Amino acid sequence: MSEENRRYALAERPEGLINDDTFTLETGPVPEIGEGEALVRVKWISIDPTNRTWIGEEPTYLPPVQIGETMRALGLGEVVASNNDNFPVGALVNGLTGWTDYTVISDANPLMVVPDSAKSAPPATLLGMLGMTGCTAYFGMLEIGEPKEGETVVVSAAAGAVGTVAGQLAKLKGARVVGIAGGPEKCAWIVDELGFDAAVDYKADDWRQQLKDATPDGIDVDFENVGGEIMEAVFARLNIGARVALCGLISGYNDDTRPVDPRVFARLLIHRVKLQGFIILDYYARFGEAIAQLSGWVAEGRLKSEQTVVEGFENLPNALNMLFKGENKGKLVVKIAD
Ligand SMILES: NC(=O)c1ccc[n+]([C@@H]2O[C@H](COP(=O)([O-])OP(=O)(O)OC[C@H]3O[C@@H](n4cnc5c(N)ncnc54)[C@H](OP(=O)(O)O)[C@@H]3O)[C@@H](O)[C@H]2O)c1
């Protein structure tokens, strides 16, 4: 193959937002495949807040990306050469591709083959609503949050990939849903387009009062995506028997200093709150179940999926920063090839 392969390698661990020195763009030959291997042309890359945690010093639920390694990321691609019947040429595959044009897979290092029934969905949907993102909202909201009819559910980062789905799922269960998002445009959008009952603009000076006004009966479920001051204000309004699905703490991902515990932590004890952190990889064996249910609700028009698409391989580093500046609505993906 005459084409070249580009990859972004981690050059240094950033402090704060990633910058021009964080990655190096390297170009080399397209990898050759051996026995039992297949070559994937990566076409779409999922941009996730956790990408930032993977390039820090500290291990998370996965080891840190090492200096010189290709940046780890989820993506979607097509098998273009194969010595493995499990990955035939033309198959669409989804999983950890990394920030690279081409990657080599095998039975020991597989990607999931997208079933024919799902192949017609837009790529951003396969990485979003019908991928890891939708599954995170599904298991976090329905199995940990367990919203019931009439309860008040709060979702932070509500206009983002996971938050948009989590809020809509709570609405499907008959709850009153309040989303927390940055800016009047996003707040109006989650109410008018996604059917949230109310929104709190955490960038407004009076956001604490907005939260009180939007949750007059307290809060029964917190789908927590943000942490920090926003989480603390939500915790302070948790009702007896409330549940917290601790999904993410994005407000701290660019900050190496460890946040102190919420000052209202005693409320969790006094109000017998159940808080459960979760990592979606633990539910991998049940993705099929979630995706079948989510696709059904999408087909019935009961769930809407939104995406922000950035074009071009060279825009990958900047796309990651977009998440921390609130420059995405719904799922953020980068298209790197047709
Ligand atoms: N536990 C798991 O397995 C799992 C899986 C997937 C995702 N997650 C977590 O879920 C959360 C959402 O992920 P996502 O993929 O859906 O990303 P996303 O919500 O699409 O994008 C991040 C959004 O977070 C908001 N944000 C960024 N910095 C913030 C800050 N300092 N304070 C308040 N809001 C801030 C921004 O929206 P605004 O414009 O509203 O500020 C931004 O659009 C993240 O914490 C992520 O780590 C966890």
Side-chain angles (χ1 to χ4, degrees), residues 36-83:
E37 292 182 333
L39 182 68
V40 174
R41 176 54 164 117
V42 183
K43 298 191 169 182
W44 293 77
I45 292 186
S46 171
I47 304 293
D48 298 290
T50 198
N51 298 163
R52 175 64 184 82
T53 72
W54 293 341
I55 55 176
E57 197 84 57
E58 297 282 323
T60 55
Y61 54 96
L62 291 177
V65 176
Q66 296 302 309
I67 303 296
E69 261 182 8
T70 301
M71 177 58 188
R72 183 190 295 139
L74 290 166
L76 192 65
E78 185 185 344
V79 176
V80 289
S82 181
N83 294 325

Side-chain angles (χ1 to χ4, degrees), residues 138 141-142 146-151 153 166-177 293 297 302:
Y138 181 92
M141 182 57 84
L142 301 184
E146 292 188 278
K148 300 186 184 52
E149 187 141 5
E151 285 190 329
V153 174
Q168 292 182 84
L169 289 174
K171 280 301 299 175
L172 275 177
K173 295 291 163 186
R176 174 183 154 71
V177 182
Q293 182 73 82
W297 283 327
R302 299 174 78 195

Side-chain angles (χ1 to χ4, degrees), residues 129-145:
M129 174 73 84
L130 304 183
M132 183 275 288
T133 301
C135 291
T136 302
Y138 181 92
F139 290 112
M141 182 57 84
L142 301 184
E143 299 210 348
I144 299 175

Side-chain angles (χ1 to χ4, degrees), residues 46-51 53 61 132-133 136-137 156-164 180-183 186 202-203 223-227 230 246-254 277-282 322-332:
S46 171
I47 304 293
D48 298 290
T50 198
N51 298 163
T53 72
Y61 54 96
M132 183 275 288
T133 301
T136 302
S156 50
V162 174
T164 49
I180 304 179
K186 282 189 180 182
Y202 76 89
K203 291 186 174 164
F223 192 100
E224 186 56 52
N225 281 325
V226 168
I230 293 175
L246 186 54
C247 176
L249 297 165
I250 192 170
S251 65
Y253 292 176
N254 282 300
F278 69 103
I279 294 294
I280 195 55
L281 293 179
D282 298 345
M322 286 173 66
L323 291 175
F324 301 97
K325 298 177 187 166
E327 290 174 355
N328 65 305
K329 232 163 73 175
K331 180 73 199 171
L332 180 60

